[in-house]
């Protein structure tokens, strides 16, 4: 099963990257983008790295807030897709700014890099926050976490959104017939999620976000200088 899932995600992130938004919307009951945006409230500082930038939706939001945002992704196809999306956004804002005297330069200054999370091509302490939304298993690779720790400033934070449970009548029914509650399942998952980040030397906690469209589990890992 793991082999099949790895093949599916490899195709989704590479050859079929153009279908990513459609697949994500389908499996999340059209809530994927709003879930991704939920990490914004946990970001601190001005220098932000996104690992696995995908189609570039979070990059767009980070740039709109005048943050220095960098995105890295292993997939060349995702890089091209994100660049196209951000350039389209820049073009749209340029047209608006001509009518409203807005400064849209920040939107055109995006930084997308192809690379691996296990070998981040940045100097030590380059970022105040590093974020990853719905990453695959690479995010808990000890090499990834060591590189994240190296690239974060003292007390910088790693924000990972790995799990979301959509609020949906079908899922409510499924929990009911299996005599389980969502919170029971969440408590089990929380303990597992936290382990690799603690082992890597982060001060870590798992936050449960009960939003309108679902229940999100978010890992907040602080690069403590102590």
């Amino acid at each position: 099963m793991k082999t099949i899932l790895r093949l599916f995600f490899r195709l989704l992130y590479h050859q079929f990257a153009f279908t990513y938004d459609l697949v994500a919307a389908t499996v999340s009951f059209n809530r994927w983008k709003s879930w991704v945006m939920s990490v914004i409230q946990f970001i601190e500082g001005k220098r932000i790295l996104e690992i696995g930038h995908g189609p570039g939706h979070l990059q767009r939001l980070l740039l709109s807030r005048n943050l220095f945002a960098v995105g890295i992704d292993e997939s060349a196809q995702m890089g091209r897709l994100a660049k196209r999306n951000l350039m389209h956004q820049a073009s749209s804002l340029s047209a608006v700014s001509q009518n409203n005297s807005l400064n849209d330069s920040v939107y055109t200054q995006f930084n997308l890099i192809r690379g691996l999370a296990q070998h981040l091509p940045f100097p030590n302490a380059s970022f105040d926050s590093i974020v990853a939304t719905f990453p695959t298993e690479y995010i808990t690779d000890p090499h990834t976490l060591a590189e994240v720790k190296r690239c974060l400033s003292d007390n910088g934070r790693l924000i990972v959104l790995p799990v979301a449970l959509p609020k949906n009548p079908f899922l409510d029914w499924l929990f009911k017939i299996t005599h389980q509650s969502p919170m029971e399942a969440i408590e089990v998952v929380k303990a597992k999620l936290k382990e690799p980040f603690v082992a890597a030397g982060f001060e870590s906690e798992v936050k449960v976000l009960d939003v309108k469209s679902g229940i999100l589990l978010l890992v907040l890992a602080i690069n403590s200088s102590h």
Side-chain angles (χ1 to χ4, degrees), residues 75-203:
S75 168
Q77 291 90 339
M78 279 297 185
R80 289 193 291 270
L81 179 61
K83 184 176 181 180
R84 188 161 59 245
N85 287 338
L86 289 169
M87 290 183 70
H88 175 74
Q89 176 74 8
S91 298
S92 299
L93 286 166
S94 180
V96 171
S97 67
Q98 290 176 7
N99 296 325
N100 297 293
S101 300
L102 295 175
N103 179 10
D104 67 317
S105 60
V106 66
Y107 293 93
T108 63
Q109 297 171 3
F110 50 84
N111 302 284
L112 301 179
I113 298 169
R114 187 183 182 194
L116 296 172
Q118 295 90 337
H119 303 283
L120 295 175
F122 308 108
N124 294 353
S126 293
F127 300 100
D128 303 309
S129 292
I130 296 178
V131 60
T133 57
F134 301 109
T136 55
E137 57 193 10
Y138 72 81
I139 198 64
T140 54
D141 184 328
H143 294 94
T144 296
L145 294 177
E147 280 290 85
V148 167
K149 198 169 180 63
R150 178 183 66 79
C151 291
L152 276 173
S153 59
D154 286 346
N155 294 313
R157 49 179 50 194
L158 169 63
I159 304 127
V160 182
L161 178 60
V163 178
L165 294 173
K167 290 180 179 177
N168 182 270
F170 171 75
L171 292 179
D172 292 341
W173 172 81
L174 190 60
F175 276 115
K176 185 176 181 179
I177 66 169
T178 57
H179 303 290
Q180 293 182 335
S181 73
M183 293 313 298
E184 287 175 351
I186 284 170
E187 288 304 316
V188 173
V189 173
K190 278 176 64 177
K192 289 293 184 182
L193 284 177
K194 189 176 175 180
E195 288 176 1
F197 301 94
V198 172
F202 289 94
E203 291 185 6

Side-chain angles (χ1 to χ4, degrees), residues 27-119:
V27 300
S28 68
F29 302 100
N30 206 33
R31 290 154 183 163
W32 191 271
K33 288 183 184 179
S34 67
W35 290 344
V36 168
M37 302 311 176
S38 68
V39 304
I40 287 291
Q41 62 185 300
F42 298 98
I43 289 175
E44 290 189 353
K46 299 285 289 185
R47 304 170 300 161
I48 316 301
L49 172 65
E50 181 185 10
I51 298 178
H53 60 66
H57 301 309
L58 184 57
Q59 285 289 302
R60 173 179 55 78
L61 188 58
L62 294 172
L63 292 170
S64 75
R65 294 180 173 231
N66 294 307
L67 299 172
F68 175 72
V70 178
I72 187 168
D73 204 298
E74 181 273 335
S75 168
Q77 291 90 339
M78 279 297 185
R80 289 193 291 270
L81 179 61
K83 184 176 181 180
R84 188 161 59 245
N85 287 338
L86 289 169
M87 290 183 70
H88 175 74
Q89 176 74 8
S91 298
S92 299
L93 286 166
S94 180
V96 171
S97 67
Q98 290 176 7
N99 296 325
N100 297 293
S101 300
L102 295 175
N103 179 10
D104 67 317
S105 60
V106 66
Y107 293 93
T108 63
Q109 297 171 3
F110 50 84
N111 302 284
L112 301 179
I113 298 169
R114 187 183 182 194
L116 296 172
Q118 295 90 337
H119 303 283

Side-chain angles (χ1 to χ4, degrees), residues 189-226:
V189 173
K190 278 176 64 177
K192 289 293 184 182
L193 284 177
K194 189 176 175 180
E195 288 176 1
F197 301 94
V198 172
F202 289 94
E203 291 185 6
S204 307
E205 63 176 313
V206 178
K207 293 184 174 291
V208 180
L209 309 182
D210 191 348
V211 298
K212 183 177 180 180
S213 58
I215 298 173
L216 314 181
L217 297 186
L218 181 141
V219 179
L220 181 60
I222 307 298
N223 185 28
S224 175
S225 56
H226 301 297

